[in-house]
DNA sequence: TGTACATCAGTGAACGCGCGTTCACTGATGTAC
DNA sequence: TGTACATCAGTGAACGCGCGTTCACTGATGTAC
């Protein structure tokens, strides 16, 4: 999906303004690693992007549209990935253990990237309906596909309500990852846990949740 | 612990100002059910508390001190509860299954109260060091006590690294509960899950994580 | 290939609104004698 | 028990700062002929 399809930005027509837009998006993600979106002034962003406030407002109707654009992009990407990664056919013949490990491991690794943006989006989901709607739509899609996957492998787990199991799995995995995005280096209890270790424990938790008697 | 012991508020000396302070605290918690702390003006809070801006500033040095006070209070309460609830002696002779069910169930129920405040505090933990330090201290305490509990019941679970297991348990349970506080009525995937059902699934997940082979 | 013109892009100072904070003042409560 | 005085508490209009947004202007790019 290209930037032009999105409602949040006036599409650039010259290569120059396209480059400026890209710099603004990159600068924003970079600054979000350290600060909240609200803590970023439009000036800050434009300075970091080697651009100017006026240039910003020829692209975006207002400040928040920038964050909407970043969210919409990341959601569309994730949706496309989910369509491919969670397809039943793709996993036919493989065992549940490996499937869970692959999917949860992938999610954890993905989440490791762009932590700043994730943190901001988690915040928005709590209070802004437009952001929440997009996030919920994405989660509903993946949860639905995971439920189908669970149905197709019914003999390999011990859950009868696969819809509930899929929903809970999503809550567990994203809950822990969102939390990790909030607390960064040191976790919620002050302990350092590498992405790999966290990922491994998450895989373990997911497997256990599905397969324990 | 009484309000006077805290550094965030000028201690009231007359009953009248004590009452005003209480109204301000209650009003804040009430308003936090719908809006972010940043979305609340001092005016809003004072109006809801049937008080005035001037009165507010005779109690508090600034706006944020009010939230610090609420956080410090809730953390002290939680610490006291943890000291009692997670004591090894208290659970001697009981089996792991019941212990997990009781503790996780209790946490979920507790969390159901004051969701608005929780949501705000989760947000703060992500960006404000003072809030984070308090939350981390609390979590470190509970995780430490859970680890001791796991050690004392070593034969009833399958985890060797009890410190890691306790940390992960904390991440799983609080991760899901924090997330629920963000999304409220409808969960992250748009599904409605009562506190009881969520609690039951959390208990299941925690048990499985500890006891699966 | 060159020139004129239209549109796109970018600049940064200035504006104005919202909200945290202050302040001059009034009223209530407590204490000394 | 009454009076004077000190301190506590409360009021709400006014102030001022920060930051999102606008705007008058300059420069760059593309197109027609």
């Amino acid at each position: 999906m290209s930037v032009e399809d999105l409602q949040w930005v006036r599409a650039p027509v010259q290569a120059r303004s396209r480059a400026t837009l890209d710099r603004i998006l990159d600068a924003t993600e970079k600054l979000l690693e350290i600060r909240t979106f609200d803590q970023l002034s439009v000036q800050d962003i434009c300075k970091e992007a080697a651009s100017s406030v006026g240039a910003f407002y020829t692209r975006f109707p207002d400040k928040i549209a920038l964050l909407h654009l970043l969210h919409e992009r990341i959601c569309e990407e994730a949706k496309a990935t989910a369509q491919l990664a969670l397809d039943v056919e793709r996993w036919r013949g493989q065992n549940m253990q490996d499937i869970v490990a692959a999917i949860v491991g992938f999610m954890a690794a993905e989440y490791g990237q762009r932590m700043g943006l994730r943190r901001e989006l988690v915040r928005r989901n709590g209070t802004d309906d437009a952001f929440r709607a997009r996030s919920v739509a994405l989660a509903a899609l993946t949860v639905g596909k995971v439920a189908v996957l669970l149905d197709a492998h019914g003999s390999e787990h011990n859950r009868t309500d696969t819809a509930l199991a899929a929903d809970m799995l999503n809550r567990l995995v994203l809950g822990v990852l969102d939390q990790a995005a909030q607390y960064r280096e040191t976790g919620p209890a002050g302990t350092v846990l590498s992405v790999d270790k966290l990922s491994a424990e998450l895989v373990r938790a997911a497997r256990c949740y599905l397969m324990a008697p």
Side-chain angles (χ1 to χ4, degrees), chain A:
Chain A
M1 188 186 61
S2 64
V3 158
E4 289 87 66
D5 303 331
L6 303 170
Q7 60 174 303
W8 305 108
V9 65
R10 197 168 80 76
V13 321
Q14 295 179 9
R16 183 165 55 130
S17 60
R18 156 63 56 93
T20 303
L21 175 55
D22 287 343
R23 286 203 315 282
I24 288 176
L25 296 177
D26 290 346
T28 306
E29 288 205 39
K30 181 178 173 190
L31 292 175
L32 283 177
E33 295 297 326
I34 356 173
R35 280 184 276 165
T36 303
F37 188 69
D38 289 337
Q39 288 169 352
L40 261 39
S41 72
V42 175
Q43 284 256 26
D44 290 339
I45 295 167
C46 294
K47 194 174 176 186
E48 178 70 30
S51 182
S52 69
V53 180
F56 182 97
Y57 280 93
T58 59
R59 288 295 124 213
F60 298 100
D62 48 31
K63 188 190 175 192
I64 194 67
L66 166 58
L67 196 58
H68 280 293
L69 178 60
L70 286 168
H71 190 211
E72 194 149 308
R73 272 179 150 195
I74 215 171
C75 280
E76 292 303 322
E77 268 178 49
K79 271 185 192 168
T81 305
Q83 292 286 6
L84 293 175
L86 299 177
D87 191 65
V88 191
E89 293 311 317
R90 189 179 195 282
W91 298 103
R92 189 174 299 285
Q94 314 236 18
N95 72 57
M96 204 72 219
Q97 297 277 345
D98 294 344
I99 301 178
V100 171
I103 294 175
V104 174
F106 175 75
M107 290 178 70
E110 266 299 292
Y111 222 91
Q113 317 298 110
R114 318 222 248 173
M115 287 268 251
L117 179 56
R118 302 278 180 178
R119 180 179 61 176
E120 179 60 36
L121 294 175
V122 169
R123 296 171 68 91
R124 293 287 153 183
N125 287 339
T127 40
D128 187 308
D129 285 340
F131 283 92
R132 176 183 304 219
R134 274 192 298 268
S135 292
V136 165
L138 169 60
L141 174 76
T142 69
V143 166
K145 293 189 82 74
V146 167
V148 171
L149 216 43
L150 288 177
D151 287 335
H153 294 255
S155 61
E156 298 174 62
H157 61 78
N158 289 303
R159 306 304 315 257
T160 48
D161 190 339
T162 51
L164 175 60
D167 185 52
M168 197 61 197
L169 231 29
N170 177 65
R171 286 176 188 256
L172 287 165
V173 174
L174 281 192
V176 169
L177 291 178
D178 282 351
Q179 190 186 51
Q182 297 290 323
Y183 287 91
R184 300 312 209 51
E185 320 77 38
T186 50
T191 51
V192 189
L193 204 53
S194 70
V195 177
D196 285 353
K197 274 217 140 191
L198 184 64
S199 172
E201 287 304 302
L202 263 180
V203 169
R204 175 180 197 125
R207 280 177 170 171
C208 294
Y209 176 73
L210 286 174
M211 291 151 195

